[in-house]
Amino acid sequence: KPAWYGLVPDDHEKSAAAFERIINAGEPQSYEALGQSGIRWLVHAGPRREGGEIVGATYVAWDVTQMKELESRLAKKLAGAAVPVAEA
């Protein structure tokens, strides 16, 4: 199964493009993706090499769902906060 199998369809292309860059250029990639389970992931991936040749990719993903929810709540709170206007 491809790495993006458990992601929502909207994030398949982003994950597939990152995989292609890893395989073709050997460049590590980082991106956020939403899992079908509702969990938001911060993904870091890089090339897996054997004998100096790229043979695949290694992925590490962190659940950042709670952090993203808190950031969103804070942004909404700040957007609704009254900002004092300096008088001249």
Side-chain angles (χ1 to χ4, degrees), residues 1-59:
K1 294 179 184 177
W4 51 89
Y5 175 77
L7 302 178
V8 296
D10 286 349
D11 284 344
H12 286 190
E13 186 176 328
K14 174 177 26 180
S15 182
F19 179 76
E20 289 297 319
R21 284 191 296 275
I22 292 166
I23 297 302
N24 293 329
E27 297 174 0
Q29 301 293 306
S30 296
Y31 58 93
E32 285 187 24
L34 182 61
Q36 292 177 7
S37 63
I39 295 174
R40 175 142 308 274
W41 298 100
L42 174 58
V43 180
H44 292 283
R48 184 168 52 89
R49 300 176 190 270
E50 289 181 12
E53 191 173 317
I54 297 172
V55 295
T58 299
Y59 291 81

